[in-house]
């Protein structure tokens, strides 16, 4: 074989099953783009590198496989960083390949030079600076194995221009590296877990993104059912557990239902499965499940005892650990605990006012959900609309909900939805976004049009950074500052300017019919939905407070001065 470094990259991408990449070319990665010209890989030309990063995330989040984004050196690389950091916090396997100035010029403040390796160090699972074309034969397989193995995450490969052009002779293409099988759960550990569960009176399973990555929905369901264990989910775990199962408690934490957080207060055994005790889930951590023994199962040893010391911590693949302990789990219906939870549910249900009215936040989200099949993918941006969607959308399966959980990145929604639609073109992808968030990656509207991605954007327009407005109103004495937009945007006209059809719900007599038209017309479409700025996401745990101190969300929402 005789290839350039750039040809090695495209050849290795093909060998890893990559058929689509997203990026933007520039001086320092032009040799790579020249090699792409000659390859079968489809290239999605994003309009901003952050868009390319999130398009890759969308592909990775729905498939569970690593996806690839490309950027040139300097500003191309720095523009990718937010999407890479976002992938790190949500454990998404992304391989970012950046061009770099020629090796001899590194460190000279050359045109479009930044230290991409240094900048990406704290926000990647691993990163590489390629020093030779031959090295790429090792780096690329490693990059994919690291991105996908164990706890997934982003990997950056920085490739100087001369390395992309360098020719090298080699005998054979390296095989993709096999993923290391996680260590099996020792029988003694499995027995110990089963014993703790048998002794508990009020256990709760607390599941998160790790459950999704492990693909262990069936095992979790079997465990919960056999021992009558109620199940709560973090934002990242939504979709893993069937929402209509009587054992399901819904989402916990800052915007979880009151009964969910109250049930957690009372539990005596917390089985933390693929979670990281994020503060949005736990509230004031000292007051989280105060009387509970804790079992913590995670594939990443770094998560154990990081925030809450576990009585038993198990490092391993969640599905395998549950499978190992299932035979020792005693059947139990836990009548007393179930009836206590039923009583909490009755007394403190999740109030979703306006559910039948598509002109209200909850009503709109439910109307959209009712008009797509349960295979549809939901992406969101960040803000009130994200939390309303998390509360109201009836998630039926894993990898259906794409949201920026850890980093909370406004601008995530549109490009991520495009990536999901490209990876799975037969599914409808709904993106619920806000008037603030969509502006952060609005340029990708034209990418969606160009690719005819089947993305349905629902812009919930309260002419405000609503979640900020809500916090200022509730916790800063109603001193609303820099959160309301003084000037609105005609998002439908903007979409049309980008070549995307649009529907103005505010002007429709029959909003359900208008939604139906938008959701069933093939290709991308934008729906503009005016929302009252006074609408709130309730309940809400005040920042820093215990989950039990949540406010609002009862039938008579608390009045807060
Ligand atoms: C990049 C970025 N900047 C700032 C924030 C802080 N922030 C969180 S929610 C929010 C408001 C979002 O507004 P919008 O998209 O209109 O959603 P809404 O809350 O109104 O539904 C802001 C500014 C953020 N999460 N991300
Ligand atoms: Mg808004």
């Amino acid at each position: 074989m005789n290839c350039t470094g750039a040809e090695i990259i495209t050849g290795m991408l093909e060998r890893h099953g990559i058929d689509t990449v997203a990026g933007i070319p520039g001086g320092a990665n032009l040799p790579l783009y020249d090699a792409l010209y000659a390859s079968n890989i489809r290239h999605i030309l994003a309009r901003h590198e952050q868009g390319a990063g999130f398009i890759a995330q969308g592909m990775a989040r729905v498939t569970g496989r690593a996806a690839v984004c490309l950027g040139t050196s300097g500003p191309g690389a720095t523009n990718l960083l937010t999407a890479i950091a976002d992938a790190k916090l949500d454990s998404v396997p992304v391989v970012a390949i950046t061009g770099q100035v020629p090796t001899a010029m590194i460190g000279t403040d050359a045109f479009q030079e930044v230290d991409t390796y240094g900048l990406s160090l704290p926000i990647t699972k691993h990163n590489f600076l390629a020093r030779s074309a031959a090295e790429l034969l090792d780096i690329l397989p490693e990059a994919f194995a690291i991105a996908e193995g164990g706890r997934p995450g982003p990997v950056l490969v920085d490739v100087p221009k001369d390395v992309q052009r360098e020719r090298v002779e080699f005998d054979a293409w390296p095989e993709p590296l096999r993923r290391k099988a996680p260590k099996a759960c020792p029988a003694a550990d499995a027995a110990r877990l089963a014993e703790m569960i048998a002794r508990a009176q009020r256990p709760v399973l607390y599941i998160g993104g790790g459950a999704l990555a492990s693909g262990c929905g069936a095992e979790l369901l079997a465990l919960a059912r056999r021992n009558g264990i109620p199940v709560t989910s973090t934002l990242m775990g939504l979709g893993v557990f069937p929402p209509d199962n009587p054992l399901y408690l819904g989402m916990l934490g800052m915007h979880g239902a009151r009964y969910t957080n109250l049930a957690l207060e009372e539990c005596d055994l917390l089985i933390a499965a693929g979670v990281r005790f994020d503060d949005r889930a736990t509230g004031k951590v000292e007051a989280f499940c105060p009387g509970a023994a804790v079992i913590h199962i995670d594939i990443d040893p770094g998560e154990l005892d990081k925030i809450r010391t576990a009585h038993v911590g198990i490092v391993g693949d969640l599905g395998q650990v549950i499978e190992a302990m299932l035979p020792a789990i005693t059947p139990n219906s836990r009548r007393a605990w179930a009836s206590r939870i039923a009583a909490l549910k009755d007394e403190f249900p999740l109030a979703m006012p306006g559910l039948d009215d598509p002109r209200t936040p909850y009503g709109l989200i439910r109307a959209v959900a009712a008009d797509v099949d349960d295979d549809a993918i939901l992406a969101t941006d960040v803000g009130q609309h994200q939390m309303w969607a998390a509360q109201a959308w009836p998630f039926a399966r894993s990898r259906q909900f794409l949201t920026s959980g850890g980093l909370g990145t406004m601008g995530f929604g549109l490009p991520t939805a495009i990536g999901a639609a490209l990876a799975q073109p037969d599914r409808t992808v709904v993106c619920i976004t806000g008037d603030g968030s969509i502006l952060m990656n609005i340029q990708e509207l034209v990418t969606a049009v160009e690719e005819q991605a089947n993305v349905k954007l629902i812009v919930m327009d309260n002419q405000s950074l609503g979640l900020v407005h809500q916090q200022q109103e509730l916790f800063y004495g109603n001193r609303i500052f820099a959160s309301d937009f003084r000037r609105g945007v005609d998002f439908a006209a903007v979409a049309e300017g980008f070549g995307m059809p649009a529907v103005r719900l505010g002007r429709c007599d029959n909003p359900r019919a208008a939604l139906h038209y938008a959701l069933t017309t093939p290709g991308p479409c934008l729906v503009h939905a005016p929302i009252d700025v006074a609408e709130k996401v309730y309940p809400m745990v005040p920042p820093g407070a215990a989950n039990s101190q949540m406010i609002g969300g009862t039938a008579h929402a608390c009045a807060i001065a």
Side-chain angles (χ1 to χ4, degrees), residues 5-333:
E7 288 162 354
I8 289 174
I9 295 172
T10 54
M12 291 308 300
L13 293 184
E14 285 169 356
R15 279 164 179 77
H16 281 89
I18 298 296
D19 55 17
T20 306
V21 298
I24 300 187
N29 67 357
L30 269 180
L32 175 57
Y33 271 77
D34 197 47
L36 279 171
Y37 179 86
S39 88
N40 291 323
I41 297 172
R42 176 181 180 190
H43 180 266
I44 308 300
L45 181 59
R47 299 310 201 257
H48 185 297
E49 287 83 358
Q50 189 184 119
F54 282 127
I55 289 171
Q57 272 215 39
M59 297 192 278
R61 284 185 188 240
V62 291
T63 62
R65 302 300 311 272
V68 175
C69 56
L70 311 175
T72 189
S73 65
T78 54
N79 277 351
L80 278 175
L81 293 179
T82 299
I84 293 172
D86 188 281
K88 175 75 162 41
L89 275 173
D90 284 350
S91 307
V92 181
V94 166
V95 175
I97 303 175
T98 46
Q100 183 52 280
V101 301
T103 314
M105 295 172 78
I106 289 178
T108 66
D109 293 337
F111 177 64
Q112 293 193 328
E113 183 192 1
V114 290
D115 177 5
T116 306
Y117 180 88
L119 286 168
S120 61
L121 195 65
I123 55 163
T124 48
K125 188 174 171 191
H126 197 70
N127 61 359
F128 296 93
L129 172 58
R131 298 283 179 178
S132 68
E135 216 179 64
L136 287 168
L137 290 163
D138 295 326
I139 289 177
L140 267 294
E142 266 191 65
F144 278 90
I146 294 169
E148 291 181 344
R151 177 182 184 166
V155 175
L156 182 129
V157 185
D158 199 28
V159 193
K161 191 170 182 179
D162 55 312
V163 173
Q164 295 171 47
R165 300 172 90 145
E166 185 193 354
R167 276 205 169 273
V168 63
E169 290 268 358
F170 56 100
D171 296 335
W173 287 97
E175 289 298 315
L177 294 174
R178 286 240 189 95
R179 282 206 233 173
K180 271 196 221 129
K183 266 204 324 212
C185 176
D189 284 348
R192 196 158 164 223
L193 297 185
E195 197 191 303
M196 282 178 82
I197 292 171
R199 261 193 279 124
Q201 301 296 310
R202 297 178 303 283
V204 173
L205 244 168
Y206 152 43
I207 65 171
L212 194 132
S214 163
C216 63
E219 290 85 348
L220 282 166
L221 184 60
L223 171 64
R225 269 201 188 139
R226 180 166 312 169
N227 198 259
I229 310 174
V231 179
T232 186
S233 173
T234 67
L235 182 75
M236 295 307 295
L238 293 177
V240 174
F241 202 80
D244 47 0
N245 189 295
L247 289 165
Y248 191 49
L249 297 173
M251 183 172 73
L252 80 162
M254 185 174 261
H255 295 293
R258 280 176 172 259
Y259 75 85
T260 312
N261 286 334
L262 292 175
L264 280 157
E265 276 262 306
E266 294 184 15
C267 79
D268 66 350
L269 175 66
L270 183 70
I271 308 163
V275 294
R276 56 187 180 85
F277 290 84
D278 177 66
D279 53 274
R280 287 292 191 267
T282 64
K284 187 177 172 191
V285 73
E286 304 80 46
F288 181 59
C289 303
V294 175
I295 293 171
H296 193 175
I297 310 165
D298 206 283
I299 196 143
D300 179 359
E303 285 303 335
L304 300 187
D305 302 336
K306 184 181 89 178
I307 298 209
R308 173 87 177 241
T309 307
H311 296 78
V312 180
I314 307 277
V315 176
D317 172 73
L318 189 54
Q320 285 183 8
V321 174
I322 296 173
E323 218 173 70
M325 69 165 139
L326 260 181
I329 298 288
T330 45
N332 195 339
S333 62

